[in-house]
Amino acid sequence: MIIIDKPFIQTLDDKVYYQAHITDEKAGYANDCYYVAEKEFGKYFSDEVADAFVIGLLLPALQSNQDIIVKAAMSEKLYYSLSNTAIFAYSKAFGYQENKIIPEQLINPKIDSFGVGTGCSLGIDSFSTILHHTSISCEESYKLSHLTFFNVGSLGEKNVDKVKESYQKELENVKKFAAEINLPLISLESNLAVFFSHYDYNFNQTHVIRGMSMVLSMQKLFKKYIYSSGYPISEIHLSGIDPTYMEAMLLPALSTENTELIVGGPNQSRTDKARIISDNEMVQKYLYVCVKDLVVNNDMHYGPWVNIDEGHTRNCSGCDKCLRTMVTLDALGKLEKYSELFDIPKYHKLRKLFMAKIIGLRNKSFVFKDMFNLVHKESYKISMISRILSLIYQFGLNDLYYRFAGAGKNKK
Ligand SMILES: [Zn+2]
């Protein structure tokens, strides 16, 4: 069993903690799980229900085939949707047995939630949601009232001190943007990661449900929360490798009577979004897509051509996400407008090699298929060397490189 005790709220100095004691019997581990916000926003934590903790711990419970005992109330709608939809979908996607949630009580708390929020990572998906939901063409009740910045794994979680450093550094940039667009920013952190450390998950497999757990901790604030889509809804399917494909089905099943979780931009791919937002001056000033911090802070492999100590621009211009974005902007004829944020000479050195990856993986991943379609549509020149090198990716030889050579691993 995983046992969630009754949540409570406490204020320490200028921070407010929303926490519950958790016991994971199979892992032999017990600790307090917390969500922490600035005092100003701590009043929005919803301690009437344990919803945030339940969905936060759902994947560890499923992987270890444990039921979840909740010694507190849960929102009835969430319990209904988890029991009938989300647990079934996750267990089929990952190949687990279904488990049960056993709450002390089901309630329908009358909370006057009022806000409309979205995450502010400053990436393409995030900018697309923010610009659309602050524009005059956006329907009134969907216009944003708050931005959020969560420390929930996107900056890594293995090296805790380095993650904290990366988060604080990024938070400063996000704060500047939030001030410029004139929306309040909620910085929210959690130690949920420690409850995942006994289990075998990577960030891609957990970020949807962990992010939504953060949102449900603040049901007194969020009436609606727009979660920027990773893939267009046309790509929906069950996936244990990347449950982002399931987000359009999962978000309604993780919603409550008080907080509706909504997919933002479900009718657009990332290159569609890039085409729409790339002329915007705020995007040209703040765009940040780099996953260097995630790679370094989690001791992951990066490409053999990348020197992580190199580079003077905000986006490292050598990681996969930087290169994907630069190829997209280049194909759209906008790259020069981003010369302050990306190292363009470095891009020109790596472009042919990365194009090989796009061609080689276009039938294996929607991300690369979307990019391949864009470069094809824009008549972007593809060299013969990229076409030849694409065979490395097509036949999975790059995986062999990582498996046997071990090269490119960050040793820091
Ligand atoms: Zn990068």
Side-chain angles (χ1 to χ4, degrees):
M1 307 275 190
I2 287 183
I3 301 156
I4 300 172
D5 287 351
K6 189 172 170 45
F8 61 99
I9 291 172
Q10 66 171 333
T11 303
L12 291 174
D13 300 326
D14 57 344
K15 305 268 186 188
V16 179
Y17 287 77
Y18 171 48
Q19 63 191 79
H21 190 73
I22 310 286
T23 307
D24 180 337
E25 290 184 338
K26 272 203 182 161
Y29 181 75
N31 202 347
D32 288 339
C33 179
Y34 66 79
Y35 302 76
V36 55
E38 307 283 333
K39 225 176 201 172
E40 181 187 358
F41 299 111
K43 62 187 174 203
Y44 298 123
F45 282 134
S46 34
D47 57 341
E48 303 84 354
V49 285
D51 298 348
F53 300 94
V54 174
I55 68 167
L57 290 153
L58 184 63
L59 289 182
L62 280 167
Q63 190 173 104
S64 57
N65 194 19
Q66 296 186 84
D67 292 338
I68 300 178
I69 307 277
V70 189
K71 293 184 173 174
M74 261 186 83
S75 296
E76 188 174 74
K77 181 178 159 112
L78 179 66
Y79 175 80
Y80 176 87
S81 307
L82 285 177
S83 304
N84 290 290
T85 307
I87 289 175
F88 177 79
Y90 270 116
S91 57
K92 290 293 173 207
F94 281 94
Y96 300 145
Q97 284 188 3
E98 290 176 58
N99 66 353
K100 284 195 172 52
I101 295 167
I102 306 158
E104 192 173 271
Q105 193 188 0
L106 294 177
I107 60 172
N108 181 355
K110 296 281 176 267
I111 299 173
D112 290 326
S113 55
F114 61 94
V116 181
T118 196
C120 183
S121 68
L122 303 176
I124 299 270
D125 298 327
S126 158
F127 259 121
S128 172
T129 298
I130 293 168
L131 294 179
H132 176 65
H133 292 84
T134 50
S135 70
I136 47 167
S137 63
C138 182
E139 293 76 3
E140 222 33 60
S141 69
Y142 287 79
K143 280 191 177 155
L144 292 174
S145 63
H146 291 78
L147 297 177
T148 64
F149 190 56
F150 298 154
N151 190 358
V152 72
S154 65
L155 296 166
E157 52 201 6
K158 281 194 178 168
N159 301 329
V160 177
D161 292 341
K162 283 188 187 171
V163 171
K164 186 84 189 162
E165 201 179 300
S166 301
Y167 181 75
Q168 289 303 334
K169 189 186 78 186
E170 267 320 296
L171 181 59
E172 290 310 307
N173 290 308
V174 172
K175 274 183 182 167
K176 278 185 208 157
F177 169 74
E180 194 162 331
I181 202 165
N182 202 20
L183 284 173
L185 175 75
I186 302 168
S187 146
L188 189 58
E189 297 187 73
S190 170
N191 68 339
L192 196 52
V194 301
F195 296 90
F196 278 75
S197 61
H198 308 280
Y199 298 97
D200 184 21
Y201 284 112
N202 64 40
F203 174 66
N204 270 349
Q205 293 175 307
T206 66
H207 69 87
V208 175
I209 198 160
R210 282 165 60 179
M212 295 309 96
S213 157
M214 303 289 264
V215 177
L216 290 194
S217 74
M218 290 209 158
Q219 295 187 50
K220 283 183 183 152
L221 171 60
F222 295 119
K223 192 176 179 63
K224 293 187 174 76
Y225 191 89
I226 320 282
Y227 182 76
S228 302
S229 68
Y231 301 109
I233 202 168
S234 50
E235 300 306 309
I236 193 166
H237 64 274
L238 294 181
S239 172
I241 296 168
D242 187 358
T244 317
Y245 282 110
M246 299 152 61
E247 63 201 359
M249 174 211 336
L250 288 173
L251 263 53
L254 301 175
S255 297
T256 71
E257 291 87 347
N258 294 293
T259 302
E260 183 186 5
L261 306 174
I262 299 165
V263 181
N267 53 350
Q268 296 165 331
S269 72
R270 190 164 290 131
T271 63
D272 293 334
K273 293 173 188 172
R275 187 188 294 279
I276 293 167
I277 67 170
S278 56
D279 280 325
N280 184 284
E281 284 181 5
M282 275 198 287
V283 182
Q284 290 168 11
K285 185 172 169 186
Y286 287 103
L287 183 67
Y288 182 64
V289 298
C290 189
V291 292
K292 182 175 133 181
D293 284 349
L294 172 68
V295 170
V296 172
N297 295 341
N298 271 1
D299 291 332
M300 291 161 73
H301 289 294
Y302 55 87
W305 55 82
V306 178
N307 176 358
I308 57 162
D309 295 325
E310 200 182 72
H312 54 278
T313 49
R314 179 151 150 68
N315 291 277
C316 80
S317 308
C319 75
D320 221 66
K321 244 182 149 181
C322 281
L323 286 164
R324 271 157 45 189
T325 307
M326 285 188 288
V327 169
T328 303
L329 294 170
D330 195 14
L332 293 169
K334 314 279 186 194
L335 187 58
E336 288 303 324
K337 292 183 176 178
Y338 290 82
S339 57
E340 296 284 312
L341 295 177
F342 291 96
D343 183 340
I344 295 179
K346 186 171 173 181
Y347 164 70
H348 285 297
K349 275 191 241 162
L350 299 173
R351 185 173 61 100
K352 285 182 182 162
L353 206 52
F354 197 72
M355 275 309 301
K357 187 168 184 176
I358 294 171
I359 302 165
L361 295 182
R362 72 187 189 279
N363 292 324
K364 295 183 183 176
S365 154
F366 178 76
V367 167
F368 294 106
K369 183 179 167 187
D370 179 37
M371 297 194 62
F372 184 79
N373 290 343
L374 174 78
V375 297
H376 186 70
K377 190 173 173 187
E378 297 296 328
S379 306
Y380 183 76
K381 194 170 168 355
I382 300 173
S383 68
M384 186 52 72
I385 187 85
S386 296
R387 290 183 196 279
I388 294 167
L389 289 172
S390 72
L391 298 173
I392 292 172
Y393 292 96
Q394 202 168 330
F395 294 106
L397 300 176
N398 55 315
D399 292 337
L400 289 179
Y401 172 85
Y402 288 126
R403 202 168 304 159
F404 295 114
K409 179 130 184 343
N410 169 42
K411 303 284 189 209
K412 291 190 167 184

